[in-house]
Amino acid sequence: VSRAALPKTFAYAEGVKASAIANVFLASMLSGQYEMAGQMMMRDRFHQSYRRHLVPLLSQCEDVAIKAGAFGIALSGAGPSVACYVRADQADALHAFLSEHFNDCTVKCLSVDNVGVVVSE
């Protein structure tokens, strides 16, 4: 259902805009400019707007998470998970705030792996 909500094609101009936003998002994340990354997450043109109606609490989660210090919120994959990004020193507060507001949902506090796969012998 979630994948079916996506358009089959994009107009060229829309594809250019969507790709530019995605590129700025990635560059922002890699350079540690998290507030800019968050702005780009909220301007996503590839999937979030098309799937918003499938995740009834998404808009409310965005509002609550931003108030609690999140710099970005996005559907995780095809949903229904919502990822909220916040600086590490604000993670516990965001977790508590979201848990309080969404007590019927599972709220987990995860950390970003900045190293990735490591091969050791």
Side-chain angles (χ1 to χ4, degrees):
V1 173
S2 185
R3 297 199 193 286
L6 300 176
K8 301 228 183 289
T9 61
F10 277 101
Y12 178 79
E14 183 65 15
V16 169
K17 289 177 189 174
S19 294
I21 291 168
N23 290 337
V24 172
F25 164 73
L26 182 57
S28 299
M29 287 297 283
L30 292 172
S31 64
Q33 297 177 22
Y34 302 121
E35 286 75 16
M36 175 63 72
Q39 291 174 25
M40 296 303 104
M41 291 169 77
M42 301 301 283
R43 293 177 60 192
D44 168 74
R45 291 172 166 247
F46 278 127
H47 79 103
Q48 197 151 298
S49 62
Y50 301 105
R51 293 174 168 161
R52 181 173 293 282
H53 69 282
L54 299 172
V55 185
L57 294 177
L58 178 59
S59 294
Q60 184 181 355
C61 183
E62 289 170 336
D63 293 341
V64 169
I66 292 294
K67 286 177 186 170
F71 60 80
I73 299 93
L75 284 173
S76 181
S81 296
V82 177
C84 302
Y85 296 87
V86 67
R87 294 189 177 277
D89 62 344
Q90 296 175 309
D92 290 336
L94 177 61
H95 181 260
F97 201 68
L98 291 173
S99 295
E100 179 182 320
H101 281 80
F102 300 100
N103 55 6
D104 289 342
C105 299
T106 300
V107 179
K108 294 183 179 183
C109 188
L110 307 172
S111 59
V112 175
D113 180 354
N114 290 316
V115 177
V117 176
V118 176
V119 177
S120 60
E121 300 201 28

